[in-house]
């Protein structure tokens, strides 16, 4: 979507960049000329991705192991990135943990694990990078990968919904507070984009056979990684320079399908004829009553 070299000279840290959506977005950032640091807990995974993406794009990727629940490890990612690339211009908070479960089955630790990765990890990383930007007068940009249920809420993924909701409010709050430094913060709320990480934990059997995630999406398909990468690159680029504190939904209309009458696709044209006639009859009857 963006022109070649749109991110040339920029350095962006992508948490969870070794797999799934983080990997796809990193690939596009590199194609647009950015330097990218990817980080996550598993060094072998990020090393392999770094090599693959560098071979594919000719760009430079630094892979630094980091658990986003640990501030010292976050500061190490920041320091290593500055050492390698000179400065940091963007942060993509993409790491997450999640699994589907009735909430009453969760242990206290299960709840904490998700909230610590998603909420605490996002604000620790944002705080570390934000302090560095303010101190060095850098007009950096944060992009947080949220979910559509950060605003609607959702059963069966309650810790994730709580944490994503908190991270979204942090995005908006800091956009208001740090605008004076030229720092922007935005979010993307994706609907379903197939990845192994999410599908293994959210659509395992027998759930996968019981529900088709595309059936309630108006566009009748899941998202393509390139579609999300386009939006992410735009929001991390200077082209979106006047957008801050915003969350952009990219879900094929899934959230809107919850509208009261949006699910009436199974009504046939003949049934609509009948329904129309019935309503008109009722209208005529009520007019007569008024005469
Ligand atoms: C109930 C569970 C559970 C499950 C784990 N736990 N899985 N409880 N049902 N299915 C409990 C454990 O029993 C333990 O509690 C606690 O959670 C921590 O588990 P650990 O395995 O020790 O944690 P850890 O090794 O840190 O692994 C974190 C993880 C794991 C979140 C549990 O799934 C992970 O590494 N995930 C990373 C990738 C990921 O989740 N990707 C999906 C993102 S998709 P006890 O009390 O027993 O010790 C997404 C949105 C998608 O976010 C939206 C789609 C439309
Ligand atoms: P994924 O491949 O499982 O990505 C999650 C990443 O987070 C992994 O690379 C994982 O790497 C990393 N991670 C987990 N715990 C971490 C920790 N404690 N510290 C550092 N990194 C950690 O799943 P995905 O689908 O691409 O998800 C990416 C983002 O998109 C998430 O924020 C998710 O909530 C969001 N999202 C996805 C969808 C979808 O349909 N796929 C929809 C809405 C939102 P390690 O295991 O190596 O740490």
């Amino acid at each position: 979507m963006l022109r070649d070299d749109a991110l040339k000279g920029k350095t962006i840290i992508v948490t969870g960049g070794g797999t799934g959506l983080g990997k796809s977005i990193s690939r596009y950032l590199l194609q647009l000329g950015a330097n990218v640091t990817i980080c996550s807990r598993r060094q072998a995974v990020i090393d392999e991705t770094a090599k693959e993406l560098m071979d594919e794009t000719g760009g430079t990727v630094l892979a630094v192991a980091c658990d986003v629940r640990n501030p010292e490890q976050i500061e190490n990612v920041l320091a290593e990135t500055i050492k390698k690339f000179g400065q940091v211009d963007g942060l993509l908070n993409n790491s997450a943990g999640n699994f589907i479960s009735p909430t009453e089955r969760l242990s206290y630790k299960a709840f904490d694990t998700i909230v610590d990765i998603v909420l605490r990890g996002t604000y620790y990383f944002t705080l570390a990078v934000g302090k560095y930007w303010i101190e060095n007068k850098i007009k950096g940009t944060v992009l947080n990968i949220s979910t559509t249920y950060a605003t609607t809420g959702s059963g069966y993924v309650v810790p994730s919904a709580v944490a994503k909701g908190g991270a979204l409010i942090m995005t908006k709050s800091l956009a208001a507070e740090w605008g004076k430094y030229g720092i922007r913060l935005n979010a993307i709320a994706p609907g379903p984009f197939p990845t192994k990480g999410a599908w293994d934990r959210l659509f395992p059997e027998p759930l996968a056979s019981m529900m088709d995630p595309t059936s309630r999406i108006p566009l009748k398909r899941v998202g393509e990684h390139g579609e999300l990468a386009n939006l992410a690159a735009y929001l991390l680029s200077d082209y979106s320079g006047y957008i801050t504190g915003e969350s952009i939904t990219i879900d094929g209309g899934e959230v809107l399908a919850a509208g009261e009458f949006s699910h009436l696709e199974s009504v046939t044209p003949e049934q609509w004829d009948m329904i129309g006639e019935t309503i008109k009859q009722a209208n005529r009857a009520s007019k007569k009553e008024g005469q």
Side-chain angles (χ1 to χ4, degrees):
M1 180 182 88
L2 295 180
R3 64 168 173 73
D4 289 350
D5 292 344
L7 295 174
K8 190 141 191 82
K10 302 258 187 213
T11 297
I12 297 167
I13 297 176
V14 179
T15 71
T19 63
L21 301 181
K23 180 176 174 181
S24 297
I25 296 170
S26 295
R27 177 183 290 113
Y28 190 46
L29 300 179
L30 288 158
Q31 285 167 350
L32 292 170
N35 302 312
V36 175
T37 293
I38 57 175
C39 60
S40 82
R41 294 165 301 177
R42 293 169 297 165
Q43 184 75 56
V45 170
I46 52 176
D47 280 346
E48 199 183 319
T49 295
K51 185 177 177 325
E52 184 187 322
L53 294 183
M54 284 196 283
D55 289 349
E56 224 179 278
T57 66
T60 310
V61 182
L62 176 67
V64 187
C66 169
D67 187 323
V68 294
R69 294 168 285 194
N70 183 322
E72 279 168 21
Q73 292 180 20
I74 290 171
E75 281 169 18
N76 180 51
V77 174
L78 186 57
E80 290 294 320
T81 305
I82 294 165
K83 197 160 93 185
K84 170 98 180 160
F85 297 119
Q87 80 168 40
V88 177
D89 305 283
L91 167 65
L92 178 65
N93 283 310
N94 164 82
S95 283
N98 201 357
F99 47 77
I100 198 152
S101 172
T103 307
E104 66 275 16
R105 288 178 174 234
L106 298 180
S107 66
Y108 296 113
K109 186 177 163 206
F111 203 98
D112 288 349
T113 299
I114 302 303
V115 173
D116 283 352
I117 298 170
V118 177
L119 179 56
R120 200 186 288 265
T122 301
Y123 74 67
Y124 278 175
F125 228 118
T126 305
L127 189 61
V129 175
K131 283 181 179 181
Y132 153 75
W133 283 338
I134 292 165
E135 202 179 309
N136 291 281
K137 299 192 168 41
I138 295 169
K139 297 179 176 182
T141 302
V142 178
L143 180 61
N144 294 325
I145 302 298
S146 185
T147 57
T148 51
Y149 58 66
T151 42
T152 62
S154 172
Y156 304 97
V157 284
V158 168
S160 170
V162 166
K164 293 281 190 183
L168 183 58
I169 284 300
M170 184 203 75
T171 308
K172 290 176 180 290
S173 305
L174 278 178
E177 188 179 331
W178 285 354
K180 61 180 178 284
Y181 302 118
I183 297 171
R184 298 187 298 117
L185 299 97
N186 288 296
I188 294 179
F193 284 73
T195 64
K196 183 167 168 34
W199 258 234
D200 282 357
R201 293 170 176 95
L202 295 163
F203 302 106
E205 289 299 343
L207 274 186
S209 327
M210 285 161 65
M211 57 181 280
D212 169 10
T214 60
S215 64
R216 61 213 175 104
I217 298 175
L219 288 178
K220 297 295 169 218
R221 66 172 177 88
V222 290
E224 289 172 17
H225 287 208
E227 293 170 325
L228 185 74
N230 274 330
L231 180 58
Y234 168 67
L235 289 171
L236 284 163
S237 79
D238 295 338
Y239 293 106
S240 59
Y242 203 48
I243 303 178
T244 193
E246 196 49 66
S247 175
I248 299 185
T249 298
I250 176 166
D251 73 342
E254 184 180 32
V255 168
L256 301 178
E260 186 77 34
F261 295 107
S262 298
H263 57 284
L264 295 180
E265 285 161 359
S266 57
V267 179
T268 63
E270 294 72 30
Q271 287 170 319
W272 278 120
D273 290 344
M274 209 162 73
I275 291 164
E277 240 351 278
T278 310
I279 295 169
K280 284 175 193 164
Q281 267 177 28
N283 288 345
R284 285 194 288 272
S286 85
K287 270 186 205 150
K288 259 193 190 161
E289 265 173 37
Q291 280 168 3

